[in-house]
Amino acid sequence: MNPYFLDHLKRRTFLENSFTGIGAVALAGLLGRQESLGAPSGIPEAKSGTGILGEKRHRPVKVKRVIHLCMAGGQSHLESFDYKPKLAELDGKPMPASFTKGQQLAQLQKQAGKLKCMGPQFEFTKSGKSGQEISNVFPHLQKVADEIAIIRSMQTEQINHDPAHTFMNTGSIIPGRPSMGAWVNYGIGSEAEDLPGYVVLTSEGGGQGQPISSRQWSSGWLPSQYQGVQFQSKGDAVHYVANPPGVSRDAQGELVDSVNKMNRLFGKTRHDPEIEGRIAQYEMAFKMQASVPGLMDVSAEKPETLERYGCQPGDGSYAANCLLARRLAERGVRFIQLYHRGWDHHGGIKANFEKTANLVDQGTAALIRDLKDRGMLEDTLIIFGGEFGRTPMAQGSGRDHHINAFSMFLCGGGVNGGVTHGATDELGYAAMEDPVHVHDLHATMLHLLGIDHLRLTYRFQGRDFRLTDVFGHLIKPVLA
Amino acid sequence: MKQLVRTIVLSDSYAQSSQNSPELEERDPYNRLLARQRGIRLPAELIRDNALTVSGLLNPEIGGRSVKPYQPAGYYQHLNFPRRKYAEDLNENQYRRGLYTHWQRTFLHPSMKAFDAPAREECTMVRESSSTPLQALVLLNDPSFVEAAKALAAESEDILDMFERALTRRPTAAEVAVLEELLASEESRFAADAEAVGQLLGVGMKGVSADQRSQLAAKTSVARGILNLQETITRY
């Protein structure tokens, strides 16, 4: 990669001469544009933890936080939320060429011309009062069918894992742009004073665990205080969270304070935007030393709660991460992202999809119910789904990557539970009715947070960038 | 290739100072004309090497088997399989360069991971250079860095000496004032708490022989501060 490109990323923004706090960094990019951002006239409040929009929002605030449950690897829509009886009929028969002619395929490209259909591997049941069709390998999700809005007509632009995740997170296939969690924290800050506003947890199992790069939760050219922080899902959530022996909390506090003073003095002569970020990170680290032990102490959780999630706290499972997600949500973390790596079912999809589904089904449903019981579902947005879908064509005993159609669901405040939106063609190959693009998902997410996606911008390299770039439409039918 | 590298590193552009100025920032915010260098945070391994070097702990031995620096207890119980035990090296191998740190497949040492060392799951052409609170926790609390601070404190005459060893420049008067204030406060804290002195000086496998133990503990705190500075972990 061109090092100057990286250099540009690091420069982030035009900086004012003085360093008067991280807010000044953000402010520099905003000068003269407060109006379009809807910020109050004069200087936006710069205190840490407040986004540039402050308390002001463009839209009614439906949700305070987002929990993104990422089914990494590419969950098959045909085995989860998009039942295709016609595909079952054609199982083992040639895929009609009209579907695939001239289309970009992933690993199946070399077999073009010899493609065969693979029928859905599981039965589906019309679930809940709404009668949404959900695969029988998700018995727990079937029970919350009336809470979730299924989108069957998702489309993306990238056919390989890493760029597809990049696209899902940043709205761009070019690495280096801010992740949606960073955008949200930049826009409206976090309510968590002593935890990062954007926390990431990962788990794996049930299939090939494709790697996830920490670049996926990067703040790109936004100030680095907005970047996602990955917690360990096993053992201590955060390593080195305890002071060294013989060092009290007061002493540690004084030390951190001295380090920040020294960095500030240095920053005055250096004009390096990284220094302000470093100071903010030391402040957060010190706060986390007090907050993380409490976050992880689940001894006060009722046994029924643990049973509902079906996990032992801290066992590294997806379900344990779901429980942790609820605890993070309670503490005001703005954007929580869980990746379950295990959906890349190129082969053995029948057995392996079921395994992976077993690992996420109960935890996901438990999280929805738990939030609902606590009155938190109404101000939480849950986004569930992978970075792309899988082909209706067989790849041996599995399915290949597929971008023309996949399914996701939304759940929570401002979302019409029990609605199925959009439809694919009779074989589940392409989104035919109401296609929903990744940009539309982003626009809708921001809308529910009270943000107009057209008006949350950041100037970089002479251009006002948005999470939705120059795209994005609200998915109105799923909005309550 | 060698010639290309030579040409690059001997060029005036490569030798530009990283000292930025408001004028340069305004005239060329993205440094297209290369009138300056930019600060580059050291990679994970070198952050460790740097702390070991300035404290005099570094064992410069080259090659050989991987080594096992201090690691949080129980970290390996989260390996999927097979069961492995991590036995820290309690000899001079403790102070080898970061390059030689044992790497259990994709399960890398947590302090390396915090500073963006890749898990080697995929080819990495350019490492991330993030800035997170987890990095602050490593530099503040990882016993490798606490022990390095203790050694730096024991090796140095005073805080000026400590500062120069770490940053190869003299501190400004304002910087000295901050460090002296910290030192004075730590001195009074440790003078009144012999137990805390013993605990802090007990970090790491190397003992220290000092008459004025509480004084050394206070200096260790200042050294911890110095090892945590942005300037210490950045190549300017």
Coordinates of all heavy atoms in Angstrom, one line a residue, chain B residues 44-75:
Chain B
A44 N 4.8 -3.3 17.8 CA 4.7 -4.0 19.1 C 6.0 -4.5 19.6 O 6.4 -4.2 20.8 CB 3.7 -5.2 19.0
E45 N 6.8 -5.2 18.8 CA 8.0 -5.8 19.3 C 9.0 -4.7 19.8 O 9.7 -4.9 20.7 CB 8.7 -6.7 18.2 CG 7.9 -8.0 17.9 CD 6.8 -7.7 16.8 OE1 6.5 -6.5 16.6 OE2 6.3 -8.7 16.3
L46 N 9.0 -3.7 19.0 CA 10.0 -2.6 19.3 C 9.7 -1.8 20.5 O 10.5 -1.2 21.1 CB 10.2 -1.7 18.0 CG 11.4 -2.1 17.1 CD1 11.1 -3.5 16.6 CD2 11.6 -1.1 16.0
I47 N 8.4 -1.7 20.8 CA 8.0 -1.0 22.1 C 8.6 -1.7 23.2 O 9.2 -1.1 24.2 CB 6.5 -0.9 22.2 CG1 6.0 0.1 21.2 CG2 6.0 -0.6 23.6 CD1 4.5 0.2 21.0
R48 N 8.6 -3.1 23.2 CA 9.2 -3.9 24.2 C 10.8 -3.7 24.2 O 11.4 -3.4 25.2 CB 8.9 -5.4 24.0 CG 9.6 -6.3 24.9 CD 9.3 -7.8 24.6 NE 10.2 -8.6 25.3 CZ 10.1 -9.0 26.5 NH1 9.1 -8.6 27.2 NH2 11.0 -9.8 27.1
D49 N 11.3 -3.8 23.0 CA 12.8 -3.7 22.9 C 13.3 -2.4 23.4 O 14.3 -2.3 24.1 CB 13.2 -3.8 21.4 CG 12.8 -5.1 20.8 OD1 12.5 -6.0 21.6 OD2 12.9 -5.3 19.6
N50 N 12.5 -1.3 23.1 CA 12.9 0.0 23.5 C 13.0 0.1 25.1 O 13.9 0.6 25.6 CB 11.9 1.0 22.9 CG 12.3 2.4 23.2 OD1 13.4 2.9 22.9 ND2 11.4 3.2 23.9
A51 N 11.9 -0.4 25.7 CA 11.9 -0.3 27.2 C 13.0 -1.1 27.8 O 13.7 -0.7 28.7 CB 10.5 -0.9 27.7
L52 N 13.3 -2.3 27.2 CA 14.4 -3.1 27.7 C 15.7 -2.5 27.5 O 16.6 -2.6 28.3 CB 14.4 -4.5 27.1 CG 13.2 -5.4 27.4 CD1 13.3 -6.7 26.6 CD2 13.2 -5.8 28.9
T53 N 15.9 -1.8 26.4 CA 17.1 -1.2 26.0 C 17.4 0.0 26.9 O 18.5 0.1 27.5 CB 17.2 -0.7 24.6 OG1 16.8 -1.8 23.7 CG2 18.5 -0.2 24.2
V54 N 16.5 0.9 27.1 CA 16.8 2.1 27.9 C 16.9 1.7 29.4 O 17.6 2.4 30.1 CB 15.7 3.2 27.7 CG1 15.6 3.7 26.3 CG2 14.3 2.8 28.3
S55 N 16.4 0.6 29.8 CA 16.5 0.2 31.2 C 17.8 -0.6 31.4 O 18.1 -1.0 32.5 CB 15.3 -0.6 31.6 OG 15.2 -1.8 30.9
G56 N 18.4 -1.0 30.3 CA 19.6 -1.8 30.5 C 19.4 -3.3 30.7 O 20.3 -4.0 30.9
L57 N 18.1 -3.7 30.6 CA 17.8 -5.1 30.8 C 18.0 -6.0 29.6 O 18.0 -7.2 29.7 CB 16.3 -5.2 31.2 CG 15.9 -4.8 32.7 CD1 14.4 -5.0 32.9 CD2 16.7 -5.7 33.7
L58 N 18.0 -5.4 28.4 CA 18.0 -6.1 27.2 C 19.1 -7.2 27.1 O 20.3 -6.9 27.4 CB 18.1 -5.2 26.0 CG 18.0 -5.9 24.6 CD1 16.6 -6.2 24.3 CD2 18.6 -5.1 23.5
N59 N 18.7 -8.4 26.8 CA 19.7 -9.4 26.4 C 19.8 -9.5 24.9 O 18.8 -9.9 24.3 CB 19.1 -10.8 27.0 CG 19.9 -12.0 26.5 OD1 20.9 -11.8 25.8 ND2 19.5 -13.1 27.0
P60 N 20.9 -9.0 24.4 CA 21.0 -8.9 22.9 C 21.3 -10.1 22.1 O 21.5 -10.1 20.9 CB 22.1 -7.9 22.7 CG 23.0 -8.1 23.9 CD 22.1 -8.6 25.0
E61 N 21.2 -11.3 22.8 CA 21.5 -12.5 22.1 C 20.7 -12.7 20.8 O 19.5 -12.3 20.8 CB 21.2 -13.7 23.1 CG 21.8 -15.0 22.8 CD 21.3 -16.1 23.8 OE1 21.2 -15.8 25.0 OE2 20.9 -17.1 23.3
I62 N 21.4 -13.3 19.8 CA 20.7 -13.4 18.5 C 20.3 -14.9 18.3 O 21.1 -15.8 18.6 CB 21.6 -12.9 17.4 CG1 21.7 -11.4 17.5 CG2 21.0 -13.3 16.0 CD1 22.7 -10.8 16.6
G63 N 19.1 -15.1 17.8 CA 18.7 -16.5 17.3 C 18.3 -17.4 18.5 O 18.2 -17.0 19.6
G64 N 18.1 -18.7 18.1 CA 17.8 -19.6 19.1 C 16.3 -19.8 19.2 O 15.5 -19.3 18.4
R65 N 15.9 -20.6 20.3 CA 14.5 -20.9 20.4 C 13.7 -19.6 20.9 O 14.2 -18.7 21.4 CB 14.3 -21.9 21.5 CG 14.8 -23.3 21.1 CD 14.7 -24.2 22.3 NE 13.3 -24.4 22.8 CZ 12.6 -25.5 22.4 NH1 13.1 -26.4 21.8 NH2 11.3 -25.6 22.8
S66 N 12.3 -19.7 20.7 CA 11.5 -18.6 21.2 C 11.6 -18.5 22.7 O 11.9 -19.5 23.4 CB 10.0 -18.9 20.8 OG 9.9 -19.0 19.4
V67 N 11.3 -17.4 23.2 CA 11.3 -17.2 24.7 C 10.0 -16.8 25.2 O 9.1 -16.3 24.5 CB 12.4 -16.1 25.0 CG1 13.8 -16.5 24.6 CG2 12.0 -14.7 24.4
K68 N 9.8 -16.9 26.5 CA 8.5 -16.7 27.1 C 8.6 -15.6 28.2 O 8.9 -15.8 29.4 CB 8.0 -18.0 27.7 CG 7.7 -19.0 26.6 CD 7.2 -20.3 27.1 CE 6.7 -21.1 26.0 NZ 6.5 -22.5 26.3
P69 N 8.2 -14.4 27.8 CA 8.2 -13.3 28.8 C 7.0 -13.4 29.7 O 6.1 -14.3 29.5 CB 8.1 -12.0 28.0 CG 7.7 -12.4 26.6 CD 8.0 -13.9 26.5
Y70 N 6.9 -12.6 30.8 CA 5.7 -12.7 31.7 C 4.5 -12.5 30.9 O 4.4 -11.8 29.9 CB 5.8 -11.5 32.7 CG 7.1 -11.3 33.4 CD1 7.8 -10.1 33.3 CD2 7.7 -12.4 34.1 CE1 9.0 -9.9 33.9 CE2 8.9 -12.2 34.7 CZ 9.6 -11.0 34.6 OH 10.8 -10.8 35.2
Q71 N 3.5 -13.3 31.3 CA 2.2 -13.2 30.6 C 1.1 -13.4 31.7 O 1.3 -14.1 32.7 CB 2.1 -14.4 29.6 CG 0.9 -14.5 28.8 CD 1.0 -15.6 27.7 OE1 1.7 -15.4 26.7 NE2 0.4 -16.7 27.9
P72 N -0.1 -12.8 31.5 CA -1.1 -12.9 32.5 C -1.4 -14.4 32.8 O -1.6 -15.2 31.9 CB -2.4 -12.2 31.8 CG -1.8 -11.3 30.8 CD -0.5 -11.9 30.3
A73 N -1.6 -14.7 34.1 CA -1.8 -16.0 34.5 C -3.1 -16.5 33.9 O -4.1 -15.8 33.8 CB -1.9 -16.1 36.0
G74 N -3.1 -17.8 33.5 CA -4.3 -18.4 33.0 C -4.6 -18.1 31.6 O -5.7 -18.5 31.1
Y75 N -3.8 -17.3 30.9 CA -4.1 -16.9 29.5 C -4.3 -18.1 28.6 O -5.2 -18.1 27.8 CB -3.0 -15.9 29.1 CG -3.3 -15.4 27.7 CD1 -4.4 -14.7 27.3 CD2 -2.3 -15.5 26.7 CE1 -4.6 -14.1 26.1 CE2 -2.4 -14.9 25.4 CZ -3.6 -14.3 25.1 OH -3.7 -13.7 23.9

